[in-house]
Amino acid sequence: MFKTNKKEQFSIAYVYALAAQLGFNHSKPDVDDESVDIEFIGNYPKSDPNIKMWNPRLEVQLKCTKNGPQADNYLHFSLPVKNYNDLREVRRSSPAYLIVLHVPDNEDDWIIENSADITLKYNAYWFSLKNSPPTSNTTTVTVKIPISNRLTKDSFKNLMDNSSKGIAL
């Protein structure tokens, strides 16, 4: 398998692990026309008065890079213009996020395992491009993702909670 395919599969496994712990379901479009690799669906009780939608959804475009956060506390990622334009679209029915997983360059270091546990290296970061400005670039746009946007089970749940309330960041 090519390294790019391995990165794609590892990124999927990473977010699936977080989603599983949170009880989120997922689906994959057969065709990625709109820069959506995975859709996550929350399972919220219909009786909860704090939510507007009992089955909130998040659309996710996954990317993977060996380049880590910079000294300016941002992860700089070169995103294809097509993905940039799709993700900045405001007329989406569900919130859409770019998730970029930072992995070690050596794929043998992506997973550390021992008799007590397994560790996935390193971190994923989420970003909303909604309302981002148009670009005149023709191939890629460098997106600066704050490292404070680390994808954790708490931040993932917060994104879904916001979706359940009709809030898209």
Side-chain angles (χ1 to χ4, degrees):
M1 183 183 294
F2 293 111
K3 192 168 187 175
T4 54
N5 298 99
K6 288 181 178 182
K7 284 181 173 181
E8 178 182 355
Q9 292 303 307
F10 192 71
S11 298
I12 292 168
Y14 192 99
V15 296
Y16 278 6
L18 288 172
Q21 186 176 24
L22 293 166
F24 296 164
N25 198 352
H26 58 83
S27 66
K28 286 182 61 93
D30 290 332
V31 178
D32 179 8
D33 282 338
E34 304 300 323
S35 298
V36 176
D37 291 318
I38 304 170
E39 180 181 50
F40 291 97
I41 304 107
N43 186 8
Y44 286 58
K46 296 175 189 173
S47 60
D48 186 339
N50 296 317
I51 62 171
K52 283 186 170 183
M53 292 162 262
W54 63 274
N55 62 345
R57 296 165 189 272
L58 301 175
E59 297 176 338
V60 171
Q61 172 68 201
L62 287 175
K63 297 294 183 186
C64 190
T65 183
K66 66 178 181 173
N67 302 320
Q70 304 297 306
D72 64 355
N73 291 322
Y74 286 88
L75 178 74
H76 297 240
F77 185 76
S78 185
L79 185 66
V81 167
K82 191 241 188 267
N83 296 141
Y84 179 84
N85 286 329
D86 286 347
L87 294 172
R88 70 183 199 84
E89 177 60 55
V90 296
R91 297 171 296 164
R92 299 184 82 100
S93 61
S94 299
Y97 297 96
L98 170 65
I99 294 178
V100 180
L101 177 63
H102 167 221
V103 295
D105 187 30
N106 182 349
E107 58 199 70
D108 290 335
D109 297 332
W110 294 357
I111 298 175
I112 307 297
E113 54 185 305
N114 60 51
S115 61
D117 59 21
I118 186 170
T119 302
L120 306 180
K121 294 285 188 160
Y122 290 117
N123 287 305
Y125 302 89
W126 65 270
F127 194 68
S128 172
L129 290 160
K130 183 178 179 182
N131 293 317
S132 290
T135 183
S136 59
N137 296 10
T138 58
T139 55
T140 63
V141 177
T142 299
V143 177
K144 291 175 58 175
I145 306 172
I147 62 169
S148 59
N149 285 14
R150 192 165 68 90
L151 186 69
T152 63
K153 64 181 181 183
D154 290 338
S155 66
F156 203 0
K157 183 169 184 331
N158 186 52
L159 293 175
M160 190 66 78
D161 287 348
N162 283 338
S163 180
S164 76
K165 297 171 187 168
I167 300 169
L169 301 178

